Amino acid sequence: MNTYTVGYFVGSLTRASINRKLARALTRLAPADLTMREIPIAELPLYSADYEADYPPPARALKDAIAAVDAVLFVTPEYNRSIPAALKNAIDWASRPKGQNSFARKPSATIGTSPGKIGTAVGQQHLKSILSYCNSPQMNAIEAYIQFTPGLITDDGDVTVPETAEFLRNYMDEFCNFITRVYMAIPRQRT
Ligand SMILES: Cc1cc2nc3c(=O)[nH]c(=O)nc-3n(C[C@H](O)[C@H](O)[C@H](O)COP(=O)(O)O)c2cc1C
């Protein structure tokens, strides 16, 4: 049996983030073959090319954390029909220094929640475009745009609507299948 480690990013820096609740729910609903761990982004300074020769410790930690996982999952709000600056900043750091893009050939998936009816769909389209440029093989389906209604997910990540819980469980199963397919085509390189 193949087992994989998934590093997840929460695109929100907000303490009571609904996307963090969603990330907790996904961690609880993930199949046993996936080990989930957060890759933190809050401590990163704003990226500048002046750092390229000497990455600061939080940025080195970010790149090490991505290198240590088999796949990445983005759980993010939509900000002004795009992704939050904090998340874009993290992606910019990880994609550099030039020629050392951490996302290259790393399988990924995107998901997000918002109180609005389109549930981060537009922001995720931006994110998918960024990840394409970063050469990350992406799960195209299932798409997951989750409208957050009050109480949908508890602080502990318990999903209170059974249909939504089933959808999210299926999403994580499909992500596991997708990761397996990617590594069947391009085997993992263990150092
Ligand atoms: C700067 C900003 C921009 C926002 N833009 C959008 C948007 O484009 N679409 C949307 O559905 N919600 C938007 N919202 C509302 C967020 O969906 C809502 O604040 C949500 O709780 C953010 O997720 P979080 O709780 O995980 O931080 C925006 C919120 C902020 C603070």
Side-chain angles (χ1 to χ4, degrees):
M1 185 175 69
N2 286 318
T3 58
Y4 302 103
T5 304
V6 173
Y8 66 87
F9 296 90
V10 177
S12 172
L13 304 185
T14 304
R15 216 169 293 128
S17 160
I18 56 177
N19 282 277
R20 180 164 296 286
K21 290 178 191 176
L22 175 58
R24 288 196 188 111
L26 293 167
T27 299
R28 287 175 61 157
L29 294 168
D33 300 356
L34 297 185
T35 300
M36 305 285 289
R37 72 164 77 129
E38 183 171 1
I39 300 180
I41 62 171
E43 302 303 321
L44 290 164
L46 285 177
Y47 174 82
S48 157
D50 295 342
Y51 289 117
E52 288 258 321
D54 187 16
Y55 261 37
R60 259 184 270 138
L62 172 77
K63 289 187 71 74
D64 289 348
I66 298 171
V69 297
D70 298 307
V72 286
L73 174 65
F74 293 84
V75 188
T76 185
E78 176 178 285
Y79 274 8
N80 297 315
R81 296 285 183 257
S82 185
I83 60 169
L87 180 59
K88 181 59 164 55
N89 184 51
I91 294 172
D92 290 345
W93 275 113
S95 69
R96 304 295 289 196
K98 196 167 169 50
Q100 297 174 51
N101 166 21
S102 299
F103 296 113
R105 293 174 292 281
K106 185 83 60 178
S108 69
T110 68
I111 187 169
T113 186
S114 139
K117 276 205 164 53
I118 56 173
T120 75
V122 183
Q124 283 191 57
Q125 296 314 307
H126 278 194
L127 180 54
K128 287 171 195 286
S129 174
I130 294 163
L131 292 171
S132 295
Y133 184 73
C134 290
N135 195 22
S136 167
Q138 296 174 62
M139 180 169 77
N140 294 318
I142 305 167
E143 296 174 290
Y145 312 122
I146 311 296
Q147 183 180 21
F148 198 96
T149 49
L152 177 66
I153 305 174
T154 66
D155 289 351
D156 293 339
D158 186 29
V159 183
T160 59
V161 176
E163 293 77 13
T164 305
E166 190 49 39
F167 175 84
L168 295 175
R169 185 179 291 111
N170 190 35
Y171 176 89
M172 293 306 291
D173 285 346
E174 280 300 316
F175 189 33
C176 187
N177 293 339
F178 174 73
I179 298 166
T180 303
R181 285 198 301 276
V182 170
Y183 286 121
M184 276 167 68
I186 312 167
R188 283 179 281 191
Q189 290 180 350
R190 299 288 194 200
T191 50

